[in-house]
Amino acid sequence: MGKRPPFSTDIEAARYPPPPPPNFHASQTKLWFSWLVPLIFLANIAMFVYSMYLNDCPGYLNDDVCLFSQYLGRFSFQPFNENPLLGPSVRTLRVLGALEKDLVVGENEAWRFFSCMFLHAGVVHLLANMFSLLFIGVRLEKEFGFLRIGLLYLFSGFGGSLLSILHLRDSVAPNTISVGASGALFGLLGAMLSELLTNWTIYVNKCAALTSLLLIIGLNLAVGFLPHVDNSAHIGGFLAGFFLGFVILMRPQFGYVNRKYLPPGHDAKRKSKYKFYQYLFLILSVIILLLGYAYCLASLYLGKSDEMFSY
């Protein structure tokens, strides 16, 4: 009969069970440091202060007419009958880069599509937009980084400016201007909605997130129907941001594990980083964005040519 090897009794074997397989935990996504959105915030504040300095209400009007002139001096506000939002005059905003159809199309000042996003009609207008910027923009920049959010902000604002100037073209009031970061901010809201839809599988409380987001969007759009508010910029920015979100904010879905994160001796079923419907949304959104921007620009500048030939 064979002998057992030394030091291998059944009691000793039960005392030391085989080690369990190593557990794998996917690494958590690191958040970006938000610096671009605060920089945009400071740029808007600085531009408003400079616009009030350049406005110099007492230098053009009587001190008794300007609001709070005894405390603010040349930074005092225009009269309520001229600007109820506590801000500068239309003349000052036009000089600094407000959106106006005759200047953009007639004088070829296309830079006003972007400069108007950093101007505000008054303190009330500025505070409303800046609170929204910090509340929405900082969160998005932490998740997606400054490059994506910067592109989203600029192109959404450009979309809002395009639809706004088309609305100004058909306005019965002459020399109407448009200012504010509302188009870009509504673009961030639209991108949040499309990001929720294209990354639907990675959210836990899907219905709650969708309901709360739709409620916020509805309330903000309802503000656009107040007097002296350019809702066309809101709608244009929202639509541009909504389709840009499918392109810029697409994220890999759960189920994909990179091999370099797997422990030795383990394997995982490899799936595609992105799902088919994400690619479908991306392609459709790119087509819609290109057609939309091209149509608005053609309507704006080809309409100018038709007016020239009509004379």
Side-chain angles (χ1 to χ4, degrees):
M1 297 178 63
K3 295 182 179 180
R4 292 182 180 179
F7 310 107
S8 61
T9 63
D10 294 338
I11 297 177
E12 290 176 338
R15 188 179 303 171
Y16 301 102
N23 294 325
F24 169 70
H25 299 281
S27 58
Q28 298 294 326
T29 304
K30 294 182 179 180
L31 295 179
W32 294 73
F33 174 75
S34 177
W35 61 267
L36 180 61
V37 170
L39 185 63
I40 295 174
F41 172 84
L42 294 176
N44 280 275
I45 299 294
M47 282 302 301
F48 182 75
V49 173
Y50 178 68
S51 66
M52 294 306 304
Y53 173 82
L54 186 65
N55 184 67
D56 190 14
C57 180
Y60 290 90
L61 300 175
N62 193 331
D63 291 353
D64 298 333
V65 177
C66 299
L67 300 177
F68 310 113
S69 59
Q70 65 272 28
Y71 304 107
L72 300 177
R74 68 179 296 150
F75 292 93
S76 57
F77 307 117
Q78 294 295 121
F80 269 119
N81 58 358
E82 183 178 344
N83 188 344
L85 298 178
L86 298 177
S89 63
V90 174
R91 165 188 54 83
T92 301
L93 294 174
R94 184 179 288 113
V95 169
L96 291 177
L99 192 66
E100 186 178 355
K101 184 252 180 183
D102 293 336
L103 295 176
V104 172
V105 180
E107 301 297 331
N108 295 319
E109 297 180 357
W111 52 272
R112 292 179 179 269
F113 282 123
F114 300 96
S115 62
C116 67
M117 297 189 303
F118 296 92
L119 298 174
H120 289 83
V123 175
V124 178
H125 188 202
L126 177 70
L127 291 178
N129 281 345
M130 291 304 99
F131 278 124
S132 300
L133 174 65
L134 293 179
F135 180 74
I136 301 171
V138 171
R139 171 188 169 274
L140 286 176
E141 187 180 357
K142 285 183 176 180
E143 291 191 14
F144 296 98
F146 69 94
L147 182 59
R148 294 189 188 186
I149 301 307
L151 292 174
L152 176 64
Y153 189 87
L154 286 178
F155 282 102
S156 297
F158 179 57
S161 298
L162 273 177
L163 201 61
S164 176
I165 200 170
L166 289 175
H167 178 259
L168 293 177
R169 182 191 61 178
D170 302 328
S171 178
V172 294
N175 300 324
T176 305
I177 66 170
S178 177
V179 294
S182 302
L185 295 177
F186 271 85
L188 297 182
L189 282 175
M192 289 178 66
L193 178 59
S194 58
E195 188 270 332
L196 175 63
L197 296 177
T198 192
N199 302 319
W200 183 257
T201 59
I202 67 176
Y203 280 89
V204 179
N205 299 321
K206 298 177 175 62
C207 293
L210 181 60
T211 303
S212 59
L213 183 56
L214 289 176
L215 180 62
I216 294 173
I217 293 172
L219 291 174
N220 280 273
L221 286 175
V223 176
F225 293 98
L226 296 176
H228 306 292
V229 178
D230 187 8
N231 208 28
S232 58
H234 298 172
I235 297 174
F238 178 82
L239 291 176
F242 178 74
F243 292 112
L244 283 168
F246 289 116
V247 180
I248 298 177
L249 305 185
M250 188 171 70
R251 291 193 285 195
Q253 305 299 288
F254 287 152
Y256 172 84
V257 179
N258 196 315
R259 288 187 181 275
K260 69 179 181 180
Y261 296 124
L262 291 175
H266 284 71
D267 196 2
K269 184 180 178 181
R270 297 180 64 85
K271 299 180 181 179
S272 176
K273 273 189 174 183
Y274 302 97
K275 296 186 178 296
F276 172 77
Y277 72 86
Q278 290 182 293
Y279 288 114
L280 180 62
F281 285 157
L282 185 147
I283 295 172
L284 292 176
S285 297
V286 170
I287 295 173
I288 293 173
L289 284 168
L290 292 177
L291 292 177
Y293 283 130
Y295 174 78
C296 291
L297 289 172
S299 300
L300 187 62
Y301 286 99
L302 293 182
K304 170 192 173 184
S305 300
D306 295 338
E307 292 176 1
M308 292 175 61
F309 285 117
S310 64
Y311 289 101

